[in-house]
Amino acid sequence: MTTPGLAMLEATPSAALRPYVTRLCAYREHYAAPVTRSEMAMAGSVLILAFGTPMEAGGQRVTAFGGGLGDRFTVTRVAGPSEGVEVFLTPFGARRLYGVPMRHLTNRVVPIGDLLGPQADLMVERLAGTSSWRARLALADRLLCERIAAGPALGPELPWAWARLVESGGRLGVSSLAESLGWSHRHLVARFHDQVGLPPKTAARVIRFGRALRLLRAGTAPAEAAAECGFYDQAHMNREFRVLGDTTPGQIYPRPGGVAEAS
């Protein structure tokens, strides 16, 4: 009998996959009672290649699914045993994998068949038929490499702009990005909508939120994290944490003598 809870095994993506996938994780979860979670917005896209009991995500009942970036948290509810592979995609990995403008997937949860077509069921069946978690992760790596390689080619400009935005923690101005690329503001926004799914200013908000999360979890005090990440003040950071994560900095920051709990 499977022990209740969540078990995970992470693998480093292969060199060919690394520009498009930041994390591959085999998992199994089974709880004594349904578990509801608020999944925080993140600077990437999540693909769940799962089998077992369907779960609720974003108000839908799904098993294997994906979607785009978002500027709000997503509520999920696990009500039965499930397992599979969780894939964390860069915006450009998602754009090549799904082959559609990312603006069509913003804040959406989409069944895998609608994203990958007829290959989707076969992909999940092959993963389900692989009992070893390490072999399952290796298979997922190969299948994703094949699919992404067949996807639309992307120019270097947006990945470069995205990398600069991430390096700045979301603090780099949109006008500075556009000027560096020799583009108009309108053209930069249009390209972000296509390849990222969010306009650059919103993408910067999500990146800044992610940086603040990391600082708080590492023990940085909320007021210091707010200043370091460029929030107007701590109240501004609190509002962003509510919208993007359904939590507060105080729930993330580990207090002396205990560990903070987030929703």
Side-chain angles (χ1 to χ4, degrees):
M1 180 179 294
T2 302
T3 303
L6 174 65
M8 307 179 77
L9 176 66
E10 187 169 345
T12 302
S14 64
L17 199 59
R18 228 164 283 158
Y20 308 109
V21 171
T22 59
R23 185 182 176 200
L24 278 172
C25 185
Y27 73 93
R28 178 187 298 117
E29 58 183 340
H30 177 48
Y31 307 100
V35 172
T36 300
R37 291 187 286 246
S38 293
E39 308 291 352
M40 298 178 181
M42 57 175 284
S45 170
V46 178
L47 171 66
I48 303 294
L49 299 168
F51 40 92
T53 306
M55 66 184 292
E56 292 178 23
Q60 298 185 66
R61 188 170 172 80
V62 288
T63 304
F65 61 94
L69 279 70
D71 60 358
R72 66 196 70 162
F73 66 88
T74 300
V75 176
T76 64
R77 187 172 187 269
V78 178
S82 179
E83 62 181 291
V85 174
E86 184 176 40
V87 184
F88 290 82
L89 296 150
T90 68
F92 313 103
R95 180 64 177 88
R96 293 197 67 179
L97 180 68
Y98 302 142
V100 299
M102 290 300 291
R103 65 180 180 274
H104 296 316
L105 303 178
T106 302
N107 288 317
R108 291 188 61 197
V109 172
V110 183
I112 190 175
D114 295 342
L115 290 170
L116 301 182
Q119 296 180 2
D121 288 342
L122 179 59
M123 180 182 292
V124 174
E125 285 175 11
R126 291 183 64 184
L127 291 171
T130 306
S131 57
S132 160
W133 280 18
R134 292 197 182 279
R136 187 176 288 171
L137 288 165
L139 175 59
D141 193 301
R142 291 196 302 274
L143 294 174
L144 289 167
C145 277
E146 292 169 5
R147 175 79 185 204
I148 288 173
L154 305 176
E157 297 89 353
L158 252 290
W160 179 88
W162 178 260
R164 301 293 82 73
L165 202 56
V166 171
E167 286 171 3
S168 75
R171 302 190 69 171
L172 187 62
V174 177
S175 58
S176 176
L177 271 180
E179 184 179 348
S180 296
L181 290 166
W183 291 351
S184 68
H185 179 272
R186 176 178 290 186
H187 185 65
L188 179 69
V189 170
R191 293 291 295 273
F192 260 78
H193 274 301
D194 178 76
Q195 294 189 28
V196 176
L198 299 171
K201 188 173 181 179
T202 306
R205 283 179 57 209
V206 175
I207 291 168
R208 180 176 56 194
F209 168 69
R211 183 173 182 227
L213 274 174
R214 291 190 293 274
L215 287 175
L216 290 167
R217 286 169 174 159
T220 303
E224 185 180 345
E228 178 72 19
C229 294
F231 292 99
Y232 299 127
D233 51 30
Q234 196 169 334
H236 177 211
M237 183 168 74
N238 290 347
R239 290 193 298 272
E240 290 288 86
F241 268 60
R242 287 289 190 193
V243 172
L244 296 169
D246 190 30
T247 188
T248 66
Q251 289 176 291
I252 302 298
Y253 177 61
R255 295 180 177 84
V259 178
E261 291 185 3
S263 59

